[in-house]
Amino acid sequence: MIKTRKFPGTVLVMFLSWLVFAPGVQAKQLLPDFTELVKESGAAVVNISTTQKVKAGAPQLPEGLEMPDLPEGSPFGELFKYFFDQEPGSHGYHDAMSLGSGFIISQDGYILTNYHVVNNADEILVRLNDRRELQAEVIGSDKRSDVALVKINAKDLPVVKIGNPAQLRVGEWVAAIGSPFGLENTVTAGIVSAKARALPDENYVPFIQTDVAVNPGNSGGPLFNMNGEVVGINSQIFSRTGGYMGLSFAIPIDVAMNIKDQLVQNGKVTRGRIGVQIQDVNQALANSFGLPKPQGALISAVEPGSPAEKAGLKSGDVVLSVNGKEIEQISELPSAIAGIKPGSNARLQIWRNGGRQEINVVVIELSEQKVATLEVGEPATAASLGLTVRELAPEERAKLNTDGGLVVQNTSGAGARAGIQAGDVILALNETPVKSVEQLKQLVKKSSKTVALLVQRDQARIYVPVQI
C-alpha cells in the first residue's frame, strides 16, 4: 500500500510563492519585449543601396618587365598599347556598390541616413519594407555630423516617432533596425553604455554609446528606445577587425533633426563658434581649480580677436553651462555652441577664482582655425616641479601670441609622472600666467598639493595636473 503525505496549507503557499518570485522567473519576466516596437516602427525603416562610377585603372606589367620593342606595323603593337600604355583610369569605369539603412521621417518621402552612406553616389535606390524600390535624390548632407537627408517620390508613407535623447539613461534598453550585410529588417538590441561620448575628430556630435550589435549595412538606421521612438542614428562602431566588437555609436536624433531643418531651409549647415580650445576636467584638475566635482569644459586657450576674448573669457575658465543647459562633459560644449545661430548671444556660466560667473558671448560662424607652432630654442634654467625650463625668446612669444611662458628642457619627478614633456611650453599655473622662472617657483610654494599647468604642446594647449 502506497502512503501519501499532504503538505500543510502554509507550506504549499510558500512553495507556490517561490515559483512565482524565484530569481530565474523574475529575470525572465523582466526581459524586454521588442515585438510591438518592430511591428509599429519597422515599416518606416528602409534599405539604401548606392552605385558610384569609379574609374578603372589600366593593367600594369609585372615588376622587371618592360614594353617590348615591336616592329612598326606589328599587329600586336596596338594591343599592347591599349592594355599597358595608358594613364591610370583611361580604360573606363566600373560600378562600386555600397549598402546602408535609413528611416522615413515624413509621409511625403523624406529619409534620414548617414553622410557616408550616400556620399559621392551616382545613384541611390531605396527599398521599402513592402519591397517597393524607388530612386532617391540627396536633398543635402553634412560631413561634420555624418547626417544626410534624401527624398523619394511617394505619399502616405509610414513614419517613425521622434524621441528625446536627453531622457535616455545609461543602462536603458534600446534596439536597432537596419540591413547589416544587406540582410534587411534585421533587429538587434542592447543597452545604452554611455552618453555624450566624444570620439577622435568628431567634435560636434555627443555620441550615444551602446552595446547594440551594429555591422556594415546598419549605418544610417534608427536607434529606438522602448517607447518605439527614434533617439539616434547608428553611425560608427569601434572595431579592430571590421566587424562588431561590442561598441557602437549613434548620433543623437535632436542633433540630426537640427541638421535636417537647416538643410531643408538653407540647403547648408551653419555652426556657431566662439574661439576657444577646451579639454576635459578630471578629478586632479577639479581639485586644482577648486571645483566641487569634475564637470564642465576647461578652456585651455582663447583665440586672439575671437568672440571669447572680446567677452573676457580666459584660459583656466571652466564652462559649466550654455544658455542654461549644463555642460557635464567636454563633448557637450562644441555641440551646444555649434547649435547656436551665428550672430546670437550665448550665455555662459563659468567657474573662475573659486566661484561661478555669467558671461555673454556673441557667436560667430564656424571657420577653420590656425594655431601657431613653437620652435624650441637653446639651453635651460633649473626650476622646481622636477622640470628644467627657460624663458621664451621674444620671437617665440610672438609665434605663441603670449607675453610670457617657459620652455621645458628636461623632466623628472612630479613633472615627468604627470606627463610633461621636453619641448612643452608652460604658459600658466592654475589661472595665473607664468612669465619667469622665479615667478613659477613662488607660485608653486604658495600652491596646494596639486597644481594645473597650462601647457602648449605642438598645436594644442592643455592643462596638466601635477601633484607636488
Side-chain angles (χ1 to χ4, degrees):
M1 182 177 179
I2 299 176
K3 295 183 178 180
T4 60
R5 182 181 178 183
K6 295 183 178 179
F7 285 98
T10 54
V11 175
L12 182 60
V13 170
M14 290 175 63
F15 177 72
L16 292 175
S17 298
W18 178 85
L19 284 177
V20 173
F21 296 104
V25 176
Q26 281 186 308
K28 186 174 181 180
Q29 290 176 340
L30 291 175
L31 286 175
D33 185 348
F34 298 97
T35 54
E36 287 301 315
L37 184 157
V38 176
K39 180 180 177 181
E40 294 178 3
S41 304
V45 182
V46 301
N47 169 269
I48 297 177
S49 59
T50 65
T51 304
Q52 180 183 354
K53 298 290 184 181
V54 179
K55 285 188 176 182
Q60 302 295 315
L61 284 168
E63 187 175 353
L65 294 182
E66 298 180 358
M67 276 282 291
D69 188 13
L70 297 172
E72 186 176 350
S74 169
F76 298 103
E78 288 301 315
L79 183 64
F80 271 91
K81 182 179 180 181
Y82 179 78
F83 279 105
F84 297 108
D85 191 23
Q86 297 191 49
E87 292 294 323
S90 62
H91 245 59
Y93 295 83
H94 71 272
D95 290 338
M97 308 288 292
S98 65
L99 294 173
S101 303
F103 51 97
I104 306 169
I105 58 172
S106 69
Q107 290 184 322
D108 58 349
Y110 282 97
I111 296 170
L112 277 178
T113 185
N114 283 148
Y115 166 88
H116 75 262
V117 169
V118 298
N119 182 39
N120 293 326
D122 295 305
E123 184 179 78
I124 302 172
L125 186 68
V126 171
R127 185 176 293 107
L128 303 179
N129 189 263
D130 60 10
R131 299 188 181 183
R132 281 186 291 167
E133 296 183 354
L134 301 171
Q135 296 289 332
E137 63 171 329
V138 177
I139 300 301
S141 60
D142 179 56
K143 183 178 181 180
R144 287 182 185 269
S145 62
D146 196 24
V147 173
L149 179 69
V150 303
K151 190 178 188 303
I152 56 177
N153 187 17
K155 296 181 179 180
D156 301 323
L157 295 170
V159 298
V160 297
K161 293 183 292 183
I162 303 299
N164 183 2
Q167 295 178 354
L168 274 180
R169 296 176 296 172
V170 175
E172 179 178 339
W173 282 96
V174 284
I177 304 179
S179 305
F181 308 110
L183 302 172
E184 300 174 25
N185 308 116
T186 296
V187 183
T188 53
I191 63 168
V192 177
S193 304
K195 294 179 62 178
R197 182 68 78 196
L199 298 181
D201 302 321
E202 300 288 349
N203 297 327
Y204 299 99
V205 178
F207 285 95
I208 303 166
Q209 180 183 317
T210 76
D211 68 351
V212 177
V214 170
N215 285 287
N218 273 115
S219 291
L223 181 73
F224 291 97
N225 63 18
M226 289 301 293
N227 294 324
E229 301 166 330
V230 175
V231 290
I233 303 177
N234 296 307
S235 175
Q236 298 188 35
I237 62 173
F238 174 84
S239 178
R240 292 176 177 171
T241 63
Y244 172 71
M245 294 185 70
L247 294 175
S248 53
F249 302 92
I251 304 161
I253 192 62
D254 55 345
V255 173
M257 293 300 285
N258 176 270
I259 299 297
K260 183 269 296 183
D261 291 341
Q262 292 194 57
L263 292 174
V264 170
Q265 294 170 11
N266 309 316
K268 66 174 185 175
V269 177
T270 58
R271 290 182 172 83
R273 65 180 290 261
I274 58 174
V276 295
Q277 292 182 26
I278 57 174
Q279 69 181 91
D280 200 12
V281 179
N282 57 25
Q283 185 63 62
L285 287 172
N287 294 340
S288 300
F289 291 102
L291 275 166
K293 64 175 183 177
Q295 66 179 120
L298 173 61
I299 296 177
S300 57
V302 177
E303 181 184 332
S306 67
E309 184 186 58
K310 294 175 182 177
L313 287 172
K314 303 175 182 178
S315 297
D317 290 342
V318 179
V319 181
L320 301 177
S321 71
V322 176
N323 291 340
K325 180 181 178 182
E326 289 191 1
I327 305 298
E328 288 294 332
Q329 302 182 50
I330 183 175
S331 60
E332 296 172 336
L333 180 59
S335 59
I337 296 296
I340 298 174
K341 185 179 179 180
S344 304
N345 278 331
R347 188 179 74 258
L348 273 58
Q349 184 181 80
I350 64 168
W351 181 269
R352 179 189 290 175
N353 297 325
R356 295 174 182 260
Q357 298 183 27
E358 296 277 346
I359 290 185
N360 289 319
V361 186
V362 178
V363 177
I364 63 174
E365 188 171 348
L366 177 68
S367 60
E368 294 299 321
Q369 302 181 47
K370 295 183 179 179
V371 181
T373 58
L374 169 72
E375 295 178 4
V376 178
E378 296 298 322
T381 304
S384 56
L385 293 172
L387 303 177
T388 304
V389 297
R390 69 162 175 84
E391 295 177 10
L392 284 171
E395 60 272 16
E396 293 172 330
R397 292 197 194 111
K399 285 184 178 181
L400 293 175
N401 192 37
T402 179
D403 59 356
L406 305 174
V407 179
V408 177
Q409 299 293 301
N410 293 292
T411 64
S412 62
R417 289 193 295 272
I420 302 294
Q421 303 172 9
D424 288 347
V425 178
I426 299 174
L427 299 174
L429 186 147
N430 292 345
E431 299 166 85
T432 304
V434 174
K435 298 183 179 181
S436 70
V437 175
E438 188 59 36
Q439 181 197 15
L440 178 62
K441 291 179 180 179
Q442 296 303 318
L443 289 173
V444 171
K445 287 181 181 179
K446 297 177 183 178
S447 300
S448 58
K449 293 182 180 180
T450 303
V451 298
L453 297 180
L454 177 60
V455 172
Q456 171 94 25
R457 179 176 297 167
D458 297 325
Q459 296 183 348
R461 292 185 180 186
I462 58 173
Y463 271 96
V464 179
V466 181
Q467 291 186 349
I468 303 174

